[in-house]
Amino acid sequence: MKKQIMDLRVTLSERVGAQCTLLKAKPVEGHLPECKPGQFAQLRVDDSGTFLRRPISIHDVEGDEISFLVQEVGKGTHWLCSLKEGDILNVVLPLGNGFTIKTQGTPLLIGGGVGVAPLLFLGKRLKEQGVKPTFLLGARTKAQLVRLDAFREVGEVLITTEDGSEGERGFVTQHSQLSMFNGRQCSIVYTCGPMPMMKAVAKMAREKGIECEASLENRMACGVGACLCCVEELADGHNHCVCTDGPVFSTAELKIDN
Amino acid sequence: MASLSVKIGALELRNPVMTASGTFGYGLEFQDFVDLSRLGGIVVKGTTLHPREGNPYPRMAETASGMLNCVGLQNKGVDYFCKDIYPKVKDLPTNVIVNVSGSTIDDYVETARRIGELESIPAIELNISCPNVRQGGMAFGVTCEGASSVVRAVRKAYPKTLIVKLSPNVTDIAEIARAVEAEGADSVSLINTLMGMAIDAEKRKRILSIGTGGLSGPAVKPVALRMVYQVARAVKIPVIGLGGIMTATDAIEFLLAGATAIEVGTANFIDPSVTMKVVEGIEAYLERHGFQSVSDIIGALEE
Ligand SMILES: Cc1cc2nc3c(=O)[nH]c(=O)nc-3n(C[C@H](O)[C@H](O)[C@H](O)COP(=O)(O)OP(=O)(O)OC[C@H]3O[C@@H](n4cnc5c(N)ncnc54)[C@H](O)[C@@H]3O)c2cc1C
Ligand SMILES: Cc1cc2nc3c(=O)[nH]c(=O)nc-3n(C[C@H](O)[C@H](O)[C@H](O)COP(=O)(O)O)c2cc1C
Ligand code: FES
């Protein structure tokens, strides 16, 4: 899959939830290259206060239209969240490996915070392959749950919030329905979100004997495997590039599960 | 059309634009973005005698107009390079130069010797200026004696084009340049990164895992230009200039300051195809000013 640098034109910029913006965009010229769920793009931020590109997951692809779900946490994401319809956004994509698409059994997709971003695209592709994904989405509070309607169009949606303002109260790994998922009918757990959540999910999956893949968000500079800034030390004791060997890893390879 | 070719020792470059070590992988990572046959050369990752895991994460901090890194020469060692990487890069349509680093003089010599046996690697860049490793690295590059001793030893073991990469973390870089020239270096490249630090005020912690890192990007360009200017006047061997080059104009400034060739580093992270724009921009500049050859602008500052 050839990586490309391209200008996109923003087709939609919509505030969703308390801190996120949903951006949709199309290539100014030509077509979007083929992208896989779990892959990401490096977004150019044209603000004098930042220097590097910002890695953002591919949230959805429909034809030549790509979506990103961006949470405002600093200058770069503030600039991205301030983009307006018609603005130009320069991206490098598609980057990284992506999730393994498994077509047997029921997949469980567990996301926390803005970590839900790559799971929509993943869920859609799984559904196209004829499997019925279940989403388990967690947040601190109701206002941080985003894109629920979009997720509900793709599969069943289970929710936890830490304050109980929506769905069940607690963490994702405490959801009552999880007892229904075991190694027999659940083929794989995919997770993306804060590290403590992914750790808990990895542990749960291991205890249930279910395969688990997690998407990491290490800080990046190049995004293409050249600078070695983004490394994660895996269970094999070696440093691996998250931008090329990841961002998706089997949790069995990660130290979080050990 | 103006001639763009330049010579560094025995090395012929089709144009003065190369890529900086540690910022362009082995070139293969950039094949989707760059026509490698249009580059003067690529300097691949820092290679050491033994495999190195590098420093722990986090290794990078963004700064005003630049970044700090403390990668710490992560690489799989020279044997791996010879066996697994060399077959993939030996037929790349450009000069592939290996950046050689070490903790001891013997390490440098042995690594250089093994790289010297590889037919399609016409030159090495001796890195005596890495600020991110505890032993060796920059320690050799900050004194004339240290620099001389490594270059003297490597020169005996390495017959091809020997470029020595200098550290800016010194009081008088021209003095170091003269010292390595005297030991037989064919060229010097500068600058490596400037030692720096980043602090997270909220967490009251240093951001990088080892506390300090090397600063690169446009933030260092004025320092790099000044040093290239000084060194070009102090030595007779060709100087390769780098540090913060983001555009063709930046590159031309280095050539005017006296560099025979330039390397593009951190800019590759922002625009992976930037080197192509730098080549085109130099071409256009020569055309616009009516120069026949890029050598006409090397060190050609008006008083
Ligand atoms: C593969 C990948 C996919 C991602 N996908 C998304 C996505 O879909 N949506 C989204 O909103 N974000 C995503 N992120 C995270 C996003 O890249 C960062 O939030 C963004 O780069 C922060 O930029 P900023 O300029 O706004 O913040 P900065 O000003 O750089 O930082 C703001 C604060 O966040 C901290 N911080 C910044 N980056 C990181 C990091 N990588 N790890 C830990 N702390 C950090 C800083 O220390 C600081 O406290 C992804 C990251 C990766 C690596
Ligand atoms: C992530 C990173 C890794 C680097 N690794 C090396 C290296 O292995 N060997 C070396 O000689 N220089 C290394 N450098 C230094 C660059 O080659 C270059 O000297 C420096 O970054 C200044 O140029 P720039 O501002 O154009 O990046 C590295 C720089 C960066 C940013
Ligand atoms: S971000 Fe440069 S190697 Fe991963």
Side-chain angles (χ1 to χ4, degrees), chain A residues 1-5 44 50-54 92 218-222 224-229 231 238-239, chain B residues 22-25 29-30 32-33 45 53 57 59-60 62 65-66 71 74 218 246 266 269-273:
Chain A
M1 221 171 331
K2 203 168 142 102
K3 300 177 190 109
Q4 291 189 25
I5 312 173
R44 176 93 181 241
T50 61
F51 178 61
L52 298 164
R53 288 176 181 265
R54 294 296 189 264
V92 180
N218 292 13
R219 263 165 218 248
M220 294 182 178
C222 72
V224 296
C227 72
L228 307 185
C229 287
V231 294
H238 296 299
N239 288 319
Chain B
T23 65
F24 205 69
E29 294 84 345
F30 283 80
D32 287 351
F33 311 113
K45 262 180 215 167
E53 277 306 322
Y57 178 87
R59 294 174 167 186
M60 190 272 289
E62 190 181 53
S65 295
V71 170
Q74 176 178 336
M246 300 293 285
T266 305
F269 305 163
I270 316 298
D271 177 357
S273 66

Side-chain angles (χ1 to χ4, degrees), chain A residues 183-202:
Chain A
R184 223 166 343 110
Q185 95 292 21
C186 177
S187 52
I188 184 163
V189 174
Y190 303 99
T191 184
C192 184
M195 199 38 109
M197 183 205 86
M198 293 202 290
K199 269 188 189 175
V201 170

Side-chain angles (χ1 to χ4, degrees), chain B residues 12-50:
Chain B
E12 311 240 5
L13 306 181
R14 69 169 62 83
N15 65 49
V17 181
M18 301 196 274
T19 58
S21 177
T23 65
F24 205 69
Y26 293 103
L28 306 163
E29 294 84 345
F30 283 80
Q31 274 179 314
D32 287 351
F33 311 113
V34 168
D35 176 357
L36 299 177
S37 74
R38 292 178 61 205
L39 285 176
I42 58 184
V43 184
V44 305
K45 262 180 215 167
T47 302
T48 51
L49 186 58
H50 303 293

Side-chain angles (χ1 to χ4, degrees), chain A residues 19 36 104 118 120 123 150 154 201 213 224 233 235:
Chain A
Q19 293 165 316
K36 292 195 293 183
Q104 315 96 306
L120 183 67
V154 181
V201 170
E213 287 189 346
V224 296
E233 188 182 335

Side-chain angles (χ1 to χ4, degrees), chain B residues 135-147:
Chain B
Q135 285 182 329
M138 194 172 86
F140 289 109
V142 293
T143 63
C144 288
E145 303 82 74

Side-chain angles (χ1 to χ4, degrees), chain A residues 73-128:
Chain A
V73 297
K75 282 186 194 152
T77 47
H78 172 76
W79 187 89
L80 291 168
C81 290
S82 309
L83 284 170
K84 301 269 171 296
E85 200 182 307
D87 286 347
I88 299 293
L89 172 64
N90 184 270
V91 299
V92 180
L93 82 183
L95 302 173
N97 59 353
F99 292 104
T100 311
I101 303 285
K102 281 196 105 187
T103 50
Q104 315 96 306
T106 316
L108 182 58
L109 287 66
I110 307 182
V114 76
V116 303
L119 301 184
L120 183 67
F121 186 29
L122 173 63
K124 280 195 168 180
R125 282 291 145 88
L126 288 166
K127 193 180 170 192
E128 282 165 20

